[in-house]
Structure formats: structure tokens, C-alpha cells
Amino acid sequence: MKTYIDNCIKYKEKIIKNFSPAQVVENFFTPKEVEILSEYQFANGERIKWTPTSNNIQSVIDIDTMFGKLPWLDEKFLSIFDSYYNNHTGNFYITTQLHDCHVDLLTEDELNDYDWTHKVIPWKSVVIPLMLSHNAETYTAFFKQRHIGNSITIDNDYVSEQGDSMYKLVREHPTFYDADGNISRNTDEFSNNNFLFPHIGKNTLKGLQTENVFQFVPGNIMVFDACQLHASCASVQKPNMKFLKSGINLQFYKEI
């Protein structure tokens, strides 16, 4: 039987054709809707995942069940997306640290957990900011580089151990594609004068290029390619490293 990875190989050009620049949709959710989503993680969590190295707490939620209980979610997302597969993956999170450099795709465990992954290809991801400490500022940088396959965290500097990561750690950059589908061969030192990445090593950032950077604002959403590499960062003008934030990461798929 064909697999999700088979689909990524066979339909690579179709995946690439769906690439587009990351964007922010302002005021997508009302304050009441943000409140409902924020409370959902506490009222419906099956269990808790805790990653001490990243100070990351996740209330384990079945995302498809959430869409079923909150039918207005589909109504909201179909106002900006033409269509998508009826199954989703994703997670809630609460953290006090900047997120590392990663790609949110299907993990190897999820391929075993879900019986529908052989029917889809990766399409879009959405970050939904829910809560942020008073007067804090934090940002998410979306890089020009995209990776097709499973979820990965880039760590060329050996900052993390595999046992502490929910995603597969890679110590060398895999094949990256840009938004036009060209293989990214950039090897220049990373440069961004407006934002800081103190949690990511120099070797990991080398060769990466910033496409867009968006502020983490509850009510807004960030929409980007599911294959797109991204990471949290701080503003040079207000390098606030002390905060508590909560959000949702959602993946949308296309059926093949």
C-alpha cells in the first residue's frame, strides 16, 4: 500500500506548486473565539506532554474531535482556504522559551497512529496565538527554505538530544526548496539585523534566509506552507526573553 512518504515523492511537483509566501491574517478570531480555544486545551486534554529542555507543556488534544465540537472552525478556515482534507493534525502548546528551527509535518509516530495519512500530501500550516504575557513581544520567523517529508528539527550545533525532541533531529541541512521549487543551495552566513535568534546555533542558521517575520498576536493567525522551516525570535528593539505564551499549531492536507 502506498504511504505518505510515497506521496511526497510521487507528488513532489504538486506539493511545490502549492507553495506560497507566509502571511498573517489579522483579527481572524474574535476575543470570544480565542477564549473558547484557550479553555478547550484545559477542558479536553487527554494527557499532558512536558519537554523540560524547551519548557514546553502540551495538552494532548485530538484535533479532529476539536473540529467536530467547534464546527465554526471549518467555517472560519473555509473563508480563507478553498478546500482541504477533512482530517488534521496539530497541537496546543504553552511555553516560556523561543521555539527552535523546525518543520511541522507528519511525524513517524503519526504515520502509525492515523489510518488516513496514505491519502494525503502536506499543504498548509496555521499558528494560532492564544495567550501572551502582558507587555511581552515575541515573533515567528519563516524562512525561504522548505522541506518535504516528515517533521524535523534542524540542530547542526548539537544543542539538543534526540530524547528531548518530539521531532527527528537532523545534524545537517537536508534538501531544501524555495517557494519556486528550486533547490536551495545558499551557504552564506545567516544575517538579520532586526531580529535575534539566541537559542539557535550559528551552524544551524548558516544558509538560511528570512522570508517573513510576524509578531505573535492573539486573534491573528499565521498561515504558511506546511513544509516551511520556521522558528521563534525576538526583536532587536525589544529583546524580551521572559514571557509565557500559548498557541495552537494546525496542519491542513490535500487529498490525492
Side-chain angles (χ1 to χ4, degrees):
M1 185 177 73
K2 65 182 179 181
T3 66
Y4 163 79
I5 293 300
D6 291 335
N7 293 345
C8 287
I9 296 171
K10 182 177 180 179
Y11 298 100
K12 182 180 74 173
E13 295 306 317
K14 186 172 184 178
I15 295 170
I16 290 172
K17 188 176 180 180
N18 289 329
F19 286 168
S20 60
Q23 61 176 310
V24 62
V25 182
E26 296 182 349
N27 301 313
F28 183 78
F29 288 116
T30 67
K32 182 60 178 178
E33 290 167 342
V34 171
E35 180 183 349
I36 291 171
L37 290 171
S38 298
E39 293 177 352
Y40 190 93
Q41 64 184 311
F42 300 107
N44 297 274
E46 300 172 9
R47 56 191 175 86
I48 296 294
K49 285 184 180 179
W50 161 244
T51 309
T53 54
S54 61
N55 287 339
N56 192 335
I57 298 174
Q58 292 187 6
S59 178
V60 178
I61 298 291
D62 184 87
I63 299 299
D64 288 335
T65 299
M66 181 180 73
F67 269 79
K69 289 184 176 181
L70 305 176
W72 48 268
L73 280 174
D74 269 322
E75 295 176 14
K76 301 284 288 193
F77 284 116
L78 287 172
S79 72
I80 60 169
F81 295 147
D82 55 353
S83 64
Y84 44 78
Y85 190 64
N86 60 345
N87 291 109
H88 310 274
T89 54
N91 60 275
F92 284 79
Y93 59 88
I94 301 171
T95 187
T96 60
Q97 282 189 196
L98 300 173
H99 287 295
D100 47 21
C101 199
H102 65 284
V103 180
D104 295 305
L105 292 163
L106 283 165
T107 66
E108 293 182 4
D109 287 342
E110 286 173 330
L111 296 183
N112 296 321
D113 292 341
Y114 303 123
D115 62 2
W116 49 265
T117 59
H118 64 286
K119 302 177 183 179
V120 301
I121 54 174
W123 184 46
K124 299 296 177 184
S125 285
V126 174
V127 167
I128 305 174
L130 296 177
M131 294 181 269
L132 182 64
S133 303
H134 180 62
N135 283 336
E137 285 187 13
T138 184
Y139 297 81
T140 301
F142 298 91
F143 299 102
K144 293 182 179 180
Q145 285 72 20
R146 288 149 171 86
H147 163 73
I148 299 174
N150 290 125
S151 295
I152 56 172
T153 294
I154 312 294
D155 182 19
N156 295 15
D157 298 272
Y158 291 80
V159 173
S160 302
E161 298 293 335
Q162 184 60 63
D164 297 324
S165 177
M166 296 180 184
Y167 292 170
K168 180 181 179 181
L169 293 182
V170 295
R171 308 300 188 180
E172 295 182 0
H173 287 179
T175 299
F176 285 136
Y177 299 89
D178 63 22
D180 296 320
N182 302 310
I183 293 178
S184 177
R185 304 185 187 279
N186 183 52
T187 58
D188 295 341
E189 296 295 331
F190 179 76
S191 176
N192 191 313
N193 295 325
N194 298 316
F195 295 94
L196 302 170
F197 298 81
H199 56 308
I200 302 176
K202 180 179 179 181
N203 293 322
T204 299
L205 289 171
K206 185 176 181 180
L208 301 185
Q209 300 162 293
T210 307
E211 179 182 277
N212 283 310
V213 181
F214 300 129
Q215 189 171 353
F216 189 93
V217 178
N220 294 354
I221 62 171
M222 303 176 223
V223 181
F224 55 102
D225 295 329
C227 299
Q228 190 164 12
L229 195 64
H230 57 286
S232 298
C233 57
S235 168
V236 170
Q237 294 182 342
K238 189 177 179 180
N240 183 290
M241 304 297 175
K242 294 183 180 180
F243 59 83
L244 176 69
K245 72 176 183 180
S246 176
I248 310 174
N249 173 46
L250 292 179
Q251 279 78 54
F252 293 79
Y253 301 90
K254 286 287 191 180
E255 186 173 11
I256 48 86

